[in-house]
Amino acid sequence: MSEAQAPSPGERYAVFGNPVKQSKSPAIHRMFAEQCEQVMQYRAVRVELDDFERAAGAFFDSGGAGLNVTVPFKHDAFHFADQLSDRARRAGAVNTLSRRADGAIIGDNTDGVGLVCDMIANLGWTLRDRRVLILGAGGAVHGVMEPLLLERPQALLVVNRTAEKAAALAQQFADLLPGALHGGGLDALADQQFDVIINATSAGLSGEMPSLPSSLLTERSCCYDLVYGPEPTAFMRWSAHHAAWAVSDGLGMLVEQAAESFYLWRGLRPETRSVIHRVRSDMEHT
Ligand code: ATR
């Protein structure tokens, strides 16, 4: 889907998730709306685990204009949508639902463009012709694969604790980087070095990280963790300790995927740097 719908004032938006209390999306979209002078509401709604379809149906039936969808409902949203964008179909997951003028619900996935935009436009990193490593092969990785591959890295290796999942993922996206996309277990990392390393495992949520050889890094390696928080993650600490050239958490990706959703809904592109800065500062002071 390339065309954003013309907005009407005062429309209702929400993020559906479980849990959703900590979501920064309402604050981010409020900042976007204020900046772009849009009259819109945006709420965080906790949806029961087996109730997504009913809740999303009720939201749109009652005039809701758009939804962001977060864990654990991105797969449910994929099935809920009447039509899918190419990137959502490829990801197998939807994080943005929009009601078109004719009432059809369009599913899209803005996570991958959010990541790529943060790395390239905000952080100034390069993916083209670089050697890229992704740690993890879960839902988050499916969501970001296509936009990453469209940047034409020289090679992309996906490694996962469960090697078969990484191998299957590499096979699924192989046509986008013929001969240069591979998947395997952590043992595939021996004697390899990467320019960009992306941690997409959920290990960090419990303060852990996969055990990695420090030889992965060169003095120009850039390390990105998809998660964020007031403190650096275990992966970020490991990267800094081994003298990575640059280290980032995923807060910029969060804001950029939100900006892409906002564009789909309102047809306007908010300025994101000041929003990233404000969200970071709020996070560090609460
Ligand atoms: P998400 O939507 O965040 O990707 P997910 O689909 O549950 O969540 O995927 C979690 C990923 O983190 C998987 O790649 C998982 O590895 P497995 O497929 O082997 O389960 C990875 N992961 C979780 N905990 C991990 C740990 N302690 N060490 C290494 N990898 C871990």
Side-chain angles (χ1 to χ4, degrees), residues 71 136-141 160-162 165 186 200-203 206 208-210:
V71 177
V141 180
N160 195 39
R161 182 174 59 181
T162 312
K165 277 168 69 178
L186 290 163
T201 70
S202 49
S206 47
E208 301 168 47
M209 61 169 276

